[in-house]
Amino acid sequence: MAGGPALSSAPDSPKVAELDQALDKIGVTRSHHTIIFLILIGCLFDSFEQNAVGIIGPMLKEQWGLTASDIGMLNSVTFACAAIGRIVSGFIADRYGRRVMLTVDLLLFTIGAGICAMAPNLAVMALGRAVVGFGLGGEIAIAVTMLSEFCSSKFRGTAVGLVNVGAGGLGNFLAPAFGLLVFWIFPGDNGWRWLFVCLMVPALLAAFYRRYIPETPRFLLSQGRIAETNAVLTRLASGKLAGAAQATHPYISDDGSSTTAAKIKVRVTEIFRGALGRRTVPLCITIWMTYGAQISVLTLMPTILVGLGYSMSKSLLFTMVMQSGSLLGAIAASALGFHFPRKRVLTAGAICACLAALTIGFAAKSIVVLLIAGATFQFFVLLLNTTIWIYAPELYPTRVRAFGTAFILATGTAAGALMPLVAGRLFDGFGLGGVFGLAAAMYLVFIISVQCVPETYGQSPDAEPLAGTTPATPQS
């Protein structure tokens, strides 16, 4: 493939244009509301699950005699397997469908929570966290991909942004309250086990309802399944996902050619070569910077506040105040995704995050200034992270969209696992200025790298090939 992969995901670009027109004509219906709601349920409890180790940590330390390093290891296992789960889920979803992988990830999530609930020791708990992590990482990546493929060009930014409203914003904000509620209903030494049991129930309930979520029309069309594509589009237009079969409207013309067309040979290495590679590399750098800065600050903030002389309880309270900016940032990103180009939002948000980091590191001389600057920083961090979730699926054609999106998100997860180690050393050596000086520098790199990625706002995610590329060759 001389010039790298083409940016058209199907042999019939005219049919892709028909699909784009159909989705724009259908707009937003009750079917879209149902799909978004069901996906958000899972994402909300995914966030609760990600926070579970931190919530039950003190109880495990007391009952099992664990150290802080043991608790940290459980968290590392979760995030490491989440990164692997994202990549593997994306790989499978591009071959067998988004809906199949979403169901598998939900099943893994439930099984992992069950293992954690029954764990007799640290080793079994770590196994459960590994299974949970695989399911968590995969579900988020597939959820982002699916919503981008169900919605019109205008609405898809808002729809995908809502995933992080549930997962990154509302989920992180409500996770401590969820834990307190479970411990109040189930008091005693086994309260932490009941927490995992409760985390199983919504996943099973969501799995039951998600059987009404169809395969995405973009994936079906990329497979030449035009009749099924039209059936899904008809369901979306009607506003009813369940019930008796309806007379199918021929949104996509079926002349029989797609059923006999040669399938495109897909290689996951496509996202690292040619035109797609010029999208993947800078966006990986971009997400590494913002995820690494965010997780470094979240990990170290209670320690920083204690080091400034505040008690542990006050430090946690102040951290929660700063976290309030996260929910607002995710909501803002979802709204801005409807009205503004991605690169404009990312560039302006990164400049503001950089300034907020510098304020915290070098100008926050009182707790009031620190809290305001901290909440502002979290606002722009979630604005950036959510916009990247919107942006990533739009950069890849259907045949590699799930894998490309998953790889980008997995890069962010890896940054979240590694960058706090660097930030911790800087805090030991240079204090508050070292940590937030690093964050500010990372956002400067962010601003530069995001300029190298093409704009996608208002465009079909299955665009025509870029200049200088050659079409993908059919399988022989």
Side-chain angles (χ1 to χ4, degrees):
M1 211 181 302
L7 299 185
S8 178
S9 69
D12 330 73
S13 287
K15 286 184 170 50
V16 173
E18 288 180 337
L19 175 59
D20 291 332
Q21 293 169 7
L23 289 172
D24 287 339
K25 181 180 179 180
I26 291 169
V28 184
T29 68
R30 288 177 58 189
S31 293
H32 290 93
H33 297 161
T34 301
I35 292 170
I36 293 170
F37 175 72
L38 293 176
I39 287 178
L40 281 181
I41 289 177
C43 292
L44 175 67
F45 281 90
D46 282 356
S47 184
F48 289 174
E49 182 63 77
Q50 289 181 50
N51 286 274
V53 170
I55 294 172
I56 69 170
M59 302 178 75
L60 292 183
K61 288 175 68 176
E62 181 179 346
Q63 292 183 30
W64 289 356
L66 302 185
T67 65
S69 296
D70 294 329
I71 301 298
M73 180 273 292
L74 290 175
N75 218 39
S76 296
V77 167
T78 305
F79 279 95
C81 289
I84 297 171
R86 282 177 175 170
I87 293 175
V88 174
S89 293
F91 179 86
I92 296 174
D94 280 332
R95 279 149 182 76
Y96 302 105
R98 289 56 164 124
R99 190 167 178 263
V100 170
M101 206 59 229
L102 188 68
T103 303
V104 171
D105 286 326
L106 274 170
L107 179 61
L108 289 172
F109 174 97
T110 306
I111 292 173
I115 294 173
C116 291
M118 298 183 293
N121 52 45
L122 178 62
V124 177
M125 177 65 77
L127 173 63
R129 297 310 299 170
V131 177
V132 164
F134 194 102
L136 287 177
E139 184 181 13
I140 291 292
I142 302 305
V144 168
T145 302
M146 289 188 76
L147 287 180
S148 73
E149 294 183 345
F150 272 121
C151 299
S152 64
S153 58
K154 189 81 171 176
F155 184 64
R156 66 173 180 255
T158 298
V160 175
L162 287 173
V163 175
N164 213 24
V165 172
L170 193 62
N172 285 336
F173 188 71
L174 293 180
F178 175 74
L180 291 174
L181 177 63
V182 173
F183 297 152
W184 176 68
I185 297 175
F186 302 103
D189 293 341
N190 288 322
W192 64 269
R193 296 186 186 275
W194 283 107
L195 177 70
F196 287 116
V197 171
C198 291
L199 286 171
M200 294 173 64
V201 174
L204 291 172
L205 188 62
F208 173 80
Y209 284 116
R210 285 189 189 185
R211 68 190 179 94
Y212 295 109
I213 299 179
E215 184 54 81
T216 71
R218 289 196 183 277
F219 177 80
L220 292 172
L221 183 60
S222 73
Q223 301 295 301
R225 295 153 63 180
I226 293 181
E228 293 175 69
T229 304
N230 283 326
V232 171
L233 290 172
T234 301
R235 287 283 189 185
L236 292 176
S238 71
K240 298 178 181 179
L241 294 174
Q246 305 168 37
T248 301
H249 183 80
Y251 289 97
I252 312 298
S253 58
D254 190 356
D255 54 10
S257 60
S258 291
T259 58
T260 58
K263 289 186 177 180
I264 294 295
K265 189 174 184 179
V266 177
R267 295 186 177 90
V268 295
T269 54
E270 284 188 60
I271 71 168
F272 306 110
R273 302 199 310 271
L276 292 183
R278 292 191 293 273
R279 297 174 175 213
T280 301
V281 173
L283 196 60
C284 281
I285 295 172
T286 300
I287 199 170
W288 183 282
M289 295 301 142
T290 185
Y291 268 60
Q294 178 199 18
I295 302 303
S296 295
V297 171
L298 287 178
T299 301
L300 293 175
M301 186 53 72
T303 302
I304 290 172
L305 291 169
V306 170
L308 293 175
Y310 297 100
S311 66
M312 187 62 190
S313 57
K314 282 189 175 181
S315 297
L316 292 174
L317 176 61
F318 291 156
T319 301
M320 287 185 65
V321 171
M322 294 182 193
Q323 272 285 72
S324 64
S326 299
L327 176 58
L328 297 176
I331 293 173
S334 186
L336 293 174
F338 188 83
H339 297 286
F340 294 100
R342 316 309 182 209
K343 289 174 66 173
R344 187 182 303 175
V345 174
L346 290 171
T347 302
I351 292 172
C352 293
C354 180
L355 294 175
L358 291 173
T359 301
I360 297 171
F362 302 100
K365 304 302 181 183
S366 70
I367 188 60
V368 174
V369 175
L370 182 61
L371 291 178
I372 294 174
T376 302
F377 178 79
Q378 290 299 331
F379 173 90
F380 286 108
V381 164
L382 261 292
L383 172 72
L384 295 172
N385 291 355
T386 304
T387 303
I388 290 178
W389 284 29
I390 296 170
Y391 200 14
E394 297 177 343
L395 289 168
Y396 298 100
T398 299
R399 66 173 180 274
V400 292
R401 180 172 297 123
F403 181 75
T405 301
F407 188 86
I408 295 298
L409 298 186
T411 301
T413 303
L418 296 176
M419 289 309 298
L421 301 176
V422 178
R425 287 186 175 274
L426 287 174
F427 179 67
D428 291 337
F430 303 98
L432 196 63
V435 174
F436 286 94
L438 171 67
M442 293 175 76
Y443 281 112
L444 287 176
V445 176
F446 179 109
I447 293 168
I448 296 170
S449 62
V450 79
Q451 307 311 313
C452 301
V453 189
E455 183 56 70
T456 59
Y457 177 68
Q459 301 175 16
S460 169
D462 292 300
E464 291 298 319
L466 293 179
T469 65
T470 56
T473 54
Q475 276 182 320
S476 55

